[in-house]
Amino acid sequence: MSGVDATDTPHRNPFPALFNFRDVGGLTGHDGRTVHRRRLYRSDSLHRIDETDRAAFTALGIRTVIDLRRPTEVARDGRVPAYDGLTYRHIHPEHQGWAEQPYSSGTSLARYLADRYADLARTGTAGLAEAVGLIADSVNAPAVVHCVAGKDRTGIVCGLTLAVLGVADDDIAADYALSTEASARFSAWIAATMPEAEELPPPFLASPAEAMILFLTELRDGYGSIEGYLRHAGVTAAQLAALRDHLLN
């Protein structure tokens, strides 16, 4: 297990207005090969960055933004600035709102989240396949994938991508779990800037590693492998091969 260090330089967030921006690279995949740094980033919603962030954004060389939010969330908050040379792709993996299946206090938070992720993997196949296909195409790199908090929809896409690259589930889950600290920073910012806002429920703030472990394990149980699920979703064999060629050094 290569481990994930939140203080490591690639995980440093250069954007003051974001709370969960980080490089997905650095983990060990197939045959001991390392996932390339500076080719795929993950983030919470990019609508909060502005012209003061242009230099930092440009320095990363990001070409493609993959926005996984619902259309209503995009309409409510806006999108990443239309910087020159930046391609913006909005993809909404269809999924049921969590309010329709609320979390019951005292029950397993990891189990609840894993079930929500499984629901999205079942109904959002086309969107997930499109997102992974975009990441697989080296022309789009560096790319950043984001949703609202950067932990659930983004965590699924990044988890599936890393699994295809041969990263161990424990390492994928450790990277996913970094979002808990980010969510705490986001929650503190909400409390300071919008004191009238209601406190967010636990599932919106926590990213227990066990949730990602359960999700990946049970997806394999259902489809034989993560690649099997993605092929079912519509990702081609060529795209899966390109993903490995492009993101493993």
Side-chain angles (χ1 to χ4, degrees):
M1 178 173 168
S2 62
V4 177
D5 180 0
T7 65
D8 189 22
T9 299
H11 293 294
R12 188 178 61 207
N13 180 354
F15 304 108
L18 301 179
F19 304 94
N20 203 10
F21 185 97
R22 60 184 183 273
D23 193 331
V24 177
L27 299 174
T28 301
H30 288 298
D31 302 322
R33 298 164 69 190
T34 304
V35 180
H36 275 296
R37 298 194 190 278
R38 302 178 181 87
R39 292 196 181 179
L40 177 62
Y41 298 91
R42 57 182 294 170
S43 183
D44 48 325
S45 183
L46 298 177
H47 77 274
R48 287 189 299 275
I49 69 174
D50 57 27
E51 282 304 303
T52 62
D53 298 305
R54 179 188 283 268
F57 201 88
T58 300
L60 294 175
I62 292 173
R63 294 179 180 176
T64 309
V65 170
I66 303 170
D67 183 346
L68 302 174
R69 293 175 297 164
R70 294 178 182 274
T72 53
E73 293 166 337
V74 177
R76 179 191 68 199
D77 296 329
R79 45 155 284 182
V80 66
Y83 294 139
D84 292 342
L86 185 66
T87 298
Y88 173 78
R89 298 292 292 269
H90 177 233
I91 300 170
H92 172 224
E94 295 287 342
H95 61 287
Q96 188 178 47
W98 288 8
E100 298 176 49
Q101 294 178 289
Y103 170 71
S104 298
S105 180
T107 61
S108 169
L109 187 56
R111 180 71 270 168
Y112 175 83
L113 288 168
D115 288 344
R116 301 292 72 73
Y117 299 168
D119 289 344
L120 189 149
R122 185 178 63 255
T123 61
T125 51
L128 294 178
E130 184 179 356
V132 172
L134 287 171
I135 293 168
D137 190 342
S138 61
V139 171
N140 297 322
V144 55
V145 57
H146 80 88
C147 51
V148 173
K151 79 178 190 74
D152 300 310
R153 289 163 286 192
T154 298
I156 290 170
V157 168
C158 291
L160 295 173
T161 298
L162 290 171
V164 170
L165 299 177
V167 176
D169 285 3
D170 283 349
D171 284 349
I172 296 172
D175 176 74
Y176 161 81
L178 293 175
S179 292
T180 295
E181 182 183 345
S183 294
R185 293 193 295 269
F186 177 68
S187 184
W189 177 78
I190 289 287
T193 58
M194 292 176 277
E196 73 286 353
E198 294 184 9
E199 185 176 349
L200 293 170
F204 289 82
L205 298 174
S207 303
E210 184 188 357
M212 183 56 63
I213 296 287
L214 285 169
F215 169 65
L216 293 173
T217 298
E218 292 168 2
L219 202 62
R220 288 193 188 95
D221 289 343
Y223 295 91
S225 65
I226 300 303
E227 291 86 347
Y229 166 74
L230 289 171
R231 290 295 300 274
H232 160 79
V235 180
T236 67
Q239 286 176 317
L240 292 173
L243 190 70
R244 297 185 185 97
D245 290 344
H246 156 46
L247 287 178
L248 289 173
N249 64 19

